Every structure is written in C-alpha cells, then in structure tokens.
Amino acid sequence: MADVHDSCDDDGVARDTPLTHAQAKAAFCREAKGDIPKELQHMLLPELPECKLVGIQAEKAGAPEREPIRPMIPDWFAARAAPLRAKLPPPMRVMQRGKELDPLVVFAPEDRRIYNDTSYPWGTICRVVTAGGGGSGVIVGPRHVLTASHMMNWGGNLSGTVEVHRAGGFVRASTPYISIYHYNQLSAASISFSEVDEDYVVLVTADRIGDLFGWMGTRTYNSSWDGEPYWWNVGYPSAIGGGLRPTFQREKFLDEPWNDLGAARSMRTDADLTPGNSGGPVFGFWDEGPYVVSVASSQSVSANENWCSGGRYLTNLVHHAISQSP
C-alpha cells in the first residue's frame, strides 16, 4: 500500500507529491521533546514580561506640574549640539534576468538626515517596537521613555521593546517595557482633532537605561514660542532606511491653534513626519541641556499639515510616572 503522500499517474507509477494540509497535520505535528541544550540557550532572547497598564485621569493626578524636569547628562558620553552625520548606503539594486526592479527600501531626498552618533543627547533616542509596529521615543527619566499613545497595541498584546540607538543592524541596548502610564488609549487608525493633544504615554522599562545614557528634560510648551525655528525632531521613519536608522531635522517651528486652551495642547509643525516618526521627540536646547516639549503625533491629509502633542499634561504625565516608578 502506498504512503499517504504518494500518488500514482495513469501508468500506476507512484509519484512523490507534497502533503495536503490535513495530511501534514496528521503526519508532521508533534509536541516538543526535551529541553533546549544548554550550549544553545545563550542565543535565545528572554521572553518579554507581562506589561502593566497604569491609566490616570489628569484631574486625579494632582495639579499639572509647571516646573521643568531637568535633563541628565552623563559624563561618560560626549555631548554635541548636532549629531554626527552618517553616509547613506547606496540604494539597493534588485536585478532579475538582467532587469532592474524597484528596491524594497527607498531613501527619500528630503529634509530628514540620517545620523549615527551615541553622544548625548543623540544616544537617548529610542526605537519603540510593539505588536502594532515600530515607532520612535526618547528617554526622559531613569527608566522612562516618552512616546505616542497610538503606538500601543491597545486591546491586544501590549508587550514590547525599547531599542536604544538602533542604527541599521547595530543596537546600543535593548530592554522590554513593563508598564505604560497613559491618559487616553488612542488608535493609530483614527485620531480625532480633539484627541491629538493627548497622544502620549510614558513607558517604564525593565532596565535603568536612563542611568546609563542620560535623559532629556521635559518642559511645558509656551505659545510665545509659536512660529520660531527652535526645534529639533528625531525619529525612525519607515520611509528612510526601513525605519532602522535614526534621522534628525532642525530649525523647525511649532504653532498652537488659537482655540486650543486646555492643559493638553496640539501644535502644527513644518517638520517632515511619516509613519515611524510617531512618538519621536520635538525638543530644543537651553543652557543646561535639551528639553522635550512635544511628541510627533499625526497628520491632517486634507489640510496637508503635521501635528504634535504636548502641553502641561505631558509634563505632568512624566512627573507622575517617575514618582510612581522611580
């Protein structure tokens, strides 16, 4: 009798053919047998810990903090007011039978520039990896990372990882986050105009990455700064380097709408923002160091505008996360 995966042609000769799905389930599936050999276990990364949600209501979290949170600048890293530029790798050429095909990674000729610099504060920039995809963030405390709320996979698997200064295949450090401090749980699919001003969360990481790399300060945005080109934006846009290389922009403006009067604020910006930039810091330099005033949030397709989230509630959220999870 022929095996279940054998078939016969009209001449009666058995031919080897692939299994059907039902045959594969019957013949191939099995449980694990034994443990992984010790000499191979070092190649495995640890399982991500379960993530704890810490939702707070602004009016119940105490008065919004007005004092800036000062930056921490470690002595063991150099400090630079602009990052060292990195050369773009040549565009990948994909050839098939002598014809050139479109590459999978496109390096767009725009204002964002790739850098590779682990000096402070450029080494505090993080790539945040969640079940919903990859985005950007910045260290703002001993083990605290500020990013966008819509980056989180609300209602699904909330586990994720913070990669400190990923540059292509190189990652300076990697740690899971174990708690999420948030106001609103926003969806990347649709952020309304009334929600864009609270599009931020603070992730608490398992390791104290801020003690090693330092952190940026946080400061409440002041509308007297509207229209001034004070601001930098850093992040991991998927349109450049496949979201695996950090980019920077400088001398960008922020502009609050005249009718946005609450403790949470949204700001229009001329920074180039595309998917992957979400959660990246918008910051400026003061005498004592850099301060984050907002994070990259979303775009208005109809108005051709990009928007950031900030205000007193951003500073308050960072204060609250640091005080509750020092």
Side-chain angles (χ1 to χ4, degrees), residues 13-70:
V13 179
R15 306 296 183 194
D16 186 24
T17 58
L19 300 177
T20 66
H21 177 62
Q23 290 169 341
K25 288 178 65 177
F28 185 75
C29 296
R30 64 165 178 81
E31 297 296 326
K33 298 180 180 179
D35 297 326
I36 298 173
K38 290 184 178 180
E39 64 271 19
L40 302 178
Q41 292 179 6
H42 71 280
M43 291 186 283
L44 289 176
L45 295 175
E47 292 283 343
L48 293 179
E50 183 178 352
C51 184
K52 176 185 176 184
L53 273 182
V54 188
I56 66 171
Q57 295 182 12
E59 63 271 17
K60 294 182 179 180
E65 299 287 350
R66 299 180 184 274
E67 290 298 321
I69 301 172
R70 295 178 66 87

Side-chain angles (χ1 to χ4, degrees), residues 110 112 127 132-136 150-151 188 235-245 247 272-280 296-299 301 306:
E110 55 184 35
R112 292 173 288 191
R127 181 171 180 262
S136 308
H150 76 261
M151 279 290 303
Y236 285 87
S238 57
I240 302 178
L244 298 178
R245 294 178 181 273
T247 67
D272 299 318
L273 303 178
T274 53
N277 277 120
S278 294
S297 172
S298 54
Q299 63 177 325
V301 177
N306 289 326

Side-chain angles (χ1 to χ4, degrees), residues 57-255:
Q57 295 182 12
E59 63 271 17
K60 294 182 179 180
E65 299 287 350
R66 299 180 184 274
E67 290 298 321
I69 301 172
R70 295 178 66 87
M72 182 282 213
I73 306 175
D75 291 335
W76 43 91
F77 287 114
R80 296 188 179 94
L84 297 176
R85 295 279 293 273
K87 286 186 177 181
L88 287 172
M92 181 175 59
R93 299 185 68 198
V94 182
M95 307 296 293
Q96 185 181 56
R97 296 181 181 178
K99 294 183 178 181
E100 185 171 356
L101 306 180
D102 290 335
L104 295 176
V105 179
V106 177
F107 298 94
E110 55 184 35
D111 192 38
R112 292 173 288 191
R113 295 293 181 266
I114 285 177
Y115 75 92
N116 187 5
D117 192 344
T118 57
S119 66
Y120 179 89
W122 315 103
T124 66
I125 304 303
C126 305
R127 181 171 180 262
V128 180
V129 184
T130 74
S136 308
V138 59
I139 305 173
V140 292
R143 55 193 189 109
H144 306 86
V145 173
L146 180 67
T147 188
S149 174
H150 76 261
M151 279 290 303
M152 301 296 103
N153 187 39
W154 304 113
N157 179 5
L158 283 168
S159 298
T161 303
V162 170
E163 297 178 340
V164 183
H165 189 72
R166 171 177 280 280
F170 172 76
V171 179
R172 190 70 167 172
S174 179
T175 179
Y177 56 83
I178 57 177
S179 299
I180 305 173
Y181 283 81
H182 64 93
Y183 289 129
N184 287 334
Q185 299 180 8
L186 303 185
S187 168
S190 176
I191 300 176
S192 70
F193 187 77
S194 62
E195 294 175 326
V196 71
D197 52 5
E198 293 184 20
D199 187 12
Y200 32 78
V201 298
V202 175
L203 309 177
V204 180
T205 59
D207 298 314
R208 299 181 66 85
I209 52 178
D211 288 346
L212 174 60
F213 296 100
W215 59 80
M216 289 200 200
T218 49
R219 183 184 290 265
T220 300
Y221 184 79
N222 190 309
S223 59
S224 66
W225 304 329
D226 283 356
E228 298 291 344
Y230 297 139
W231 310 109
W232 294 73
N233 171 250
V234 187
Y236 285 87
S238 57
I240 302 178
L244 298 178
R245 294 178 181 273
T247 67
F248 72 91
Q249 305 170 75
R250 65 183 182 187
E251 297 179 298
K252 298 301 176 181
F253 73 74
L254 293 171
D255 186 14

